[in-house]
Amino acid sequence: MADYDLEALSLSELKKMQKDIAKAISTYEDRQKAEARAKVEALARDLGYSLAELVSTDTKSSRAPAAAKYRHPENPALTWSGRGRKPQWFVKALDAGKTASDLAIS
C-alpha cells in the first residue's frame, strides 16, 4: 500500500483522489457482484437449473384502488372508499350527527 503525504496535496488533488477512490470502490463492488453471480449461476447450472428458475421473479398482483364512496361535506377533495380505517373527518361527521348516507357520494 502506498503512503501519501496528504498534507502536501492541494485541494484539487485531494478532490481528484477522492473521486478516483469512490470510482475504484464502486468498480470493485461491481466486480465482486459479477463474480458472485457467475458462481451462483454455475452452481445452479450444475444442479440442472437456471438462475432465473431458482430466483422467483413473480410479483404480487396489485389491486386497483377502490372507488370513493364517501365525500367530506365541506372539502370535496377528501374522500373515502369505505375500506380500511375510517378517516378522522368521517368519524367527526358521524359524531356531529351526520349519517353515512349523508356523506355518501350520489
Side-chain angles (χ1 to χ4, degrees), residues 16-46:
K16 182 183 181 322
M17 183 181 285
Q18 181 182 25
K19 184 179 174 184
D20 292 344
I21 290 171
K23 185 177 179 182
I25 290 171
S26 175
T27 59
Y28 178 82
E29 289 173 345
D30 291 343
R31 287 191 314 268
Q32 291 296 100
K33 287 179 187 177
E35 187 177 313
R37 182 176 183 86
K39 286 179 182 178
V40 172
E41 285 175 344
L43 179 59
R45 201 172 33 253
D46 290 345

Side-chain angles (χ1 to χ4, degrees), residues 3-101:
D3 274 336
Y4 293 101
D5 183 12
L6 300 177
E7 300 293 326
L9 297 175
S10 69
L11 180 61
S12 62
E13 291 171 326
L14 288 170
K15 286 186 177 187
K16 182 183 181 322
M17 183 181 285
Q18 181 182 25
K19 184 179 174 184
D20 292 344
I21 290 171
K23 185 177 179 182
I25 290 171
S26 175
T27 59
Y28 178 82
E29 289 173 345
D30 291 343
R31 287 191 314 268
Q32 291 296 100
K33 287 179 187 177
E35 187 177 313
R37 182 176 183 86
K39 286 179 182 178
V40 172
E41 285 175 344
L43 179 59
R45 201 172 33 253
D46 290 345
L47 296 173
Y49 298 101
S50 71
L51 185 58
E53 288 175 313
L54 297 177
V55 180
S56 176
T57 57
D58 296 338
T59 58
K60 190 175 184 181
S61 62
S62 60
R63 266 196 313 199
K69 291 184 182 178
Y70 303 100
R71 178 170 285 132
H72 189 283
E74 290 137 23
N75 185 352
L78 297 176
T79 60
W80 180 48
S81 67
R83 294 184 182 171
R85 290 182 52 169
K86 294 176 185 160
Q88 196 65 19
W89 64 263
F90 190 84
V91 173
K92 286 180 181 177
L94 293 178
D95 290 344
K98 298 243 185 216
T99 64
S101 60

